[in-house]
Amino acid sequence: MSKTVGAEPVNSIYQWLPSAIDTRIRVVAWLSLVSEIVIVGTGGAVRLTGSGLGCPTWPNCVAGSLVPSQEMGLHGVIEFANRLMTGLIGIIAIAAVVLLWRMRKERKDLFVLAVILGGGVLAQALVGGVTVLTGLNPFIVGFHFTVSLIMVCLATVLVHRVYLAPGPRALVVPVGFAGLAHATSFVVALTVMMGVLTTASGPHSGDAAAGRTGFNAELLQHLHAWPGYATLVLTIVLLAASVRSKLPVRPFIVTLLLIELAQIAIGLLQANLGLPPVLVGLHMVLACVLAAAMTAVVLNLKAPAGVTADLPAAEHERMLG
């Protein structure tokens, strides 16, 4: 009797879990994406306020205490708040895994993404610890930001797929257009990576005692800008082609273009105003939004195979080039 009674709550919880994609899963997917972007903003605040060593140890904030002491002041509060944000992302990741547990076989793609995002939280926590323990080594800090960008892209994939039926997918754009879109994504990645290196060589180290890469920051600003302008040109070409052929990916390209224009404007402003922290932080956050938008463009080059099967034969042949 006790076994039966004990099994009832477990069975009730299992029955409560979604057996199909519902609002709960979609909300958690969006929370995952938003939180992955927000933590870049809080991490940027840590760096731009010189609070990188506000918690000088890890995993504790100060020796013998998980939370900052009064002596650490505002810097300790800012750094600890960023660590708490990591915990929030971890809770969201666990929620995604739990909600998808019942569908782990039918929607293996979503479950695997949720597990990877959860593992990414642990990895980021460890990298954050190494960052602190190495005294904010600029290359480790840059790697920390790069992993955050990857997490943003993966969360974007999760959001995209919770709105799609499972199964094979096929191109809904011409092959040449798809190739150009992938080339644009490569240039976007190059632009962001050059931005990471430029920031690692600039004045915002996160702490007065933290080292820099030793590279020429002014030269890197130009090397960062060139692929940025190339991305803009490629995106304009993509938009023109998508408008001319009335491709379904057009709204996502418009979004990508608007983000790029904002990034270029902010980049020029911060370079000419002496790198004010607010603009630098906004530039960092928009880099994540840019990565998410580019990922969305690439994802929407394809649709479930049934969509393309409904197209007229002539239209399908045109898309295949």
Side-chain angles (χ1 to χ4, degrees), residues 53 56 127-138 140-141 210-211:
L53 295 178
V127 174
V130 173
T131 300
V132 171
L133 297 175
T134 57
L136 306 182
N137 180 290
I140 302 297
V141 173

Side-chain angles (χ1 to χ4, degrees), residues 3 7 10 12 51 72 89 103 110 131 151 153 183 235-236 242 244 255 286 298 311-312:
K3 290 184 178 180
V10 175
S12 297
S51 305
M72 302 314 297
I89 294 177
M103 295 183 290
L110 298 180
T131 300
M151 297 279 282
C153 294
T235 304
I236 291 173
S242 67
R244 182 186 61 189
T255 302
L286 279 180
V298 172
L311 292 173

Side-chain angles (χ1 to χ4, degrees), residues 19-101:
S19 59
I21 302 300
D22 63 7
T23 301
R24 290 172 292 174
I25 292 175
R26 291 191 175 115
V27 168
V28 168
W30 275 106
L31 286 175
S32 178
L33 175 57
V34 172
S35 62
E36 292 290 357
I37 295 174
V38 169
I39 197 171
V40 171
T42 61
V46 169
R47 185 172 183 176
L48 297 168
T49 58
S51 305
L53 295 178
C55 287
T57 64
W58 186 90
N60 286 337
C61 182
V62 293
S65 176
L66 183 65
V67 299
S69 62
Q70 187 174 358
E71 290 76 14
M72 302 314 297
L74 181 60
H75 291 318
V77 172
I78 294 173
E79 165 62 11
F80 186 68
N82 187 56
R83 294 189 182 189
L84 287 179
M85 188 65 200
T86 300
L88 176 60
I89 294 177
I91 292 172
I92 294 171
I94 292 172
V97 172
V98 170
L99 287 172
L100 289 165
W101 181 258

Side-chain angles (χ1 to χ4, degrees), residues 147-171:
V147 176
S148 292
L149 283 168
I150 294 172
M151 297 279 282
V152 167
C153 294
L154 290 173
T156 303
V157 177
L158 181 63
V159 169
H160 176 74
R161 292 200 172 186
V162 296
Y163 290 95
L164 292 180
R169 299 164 67 237
L171 279 176

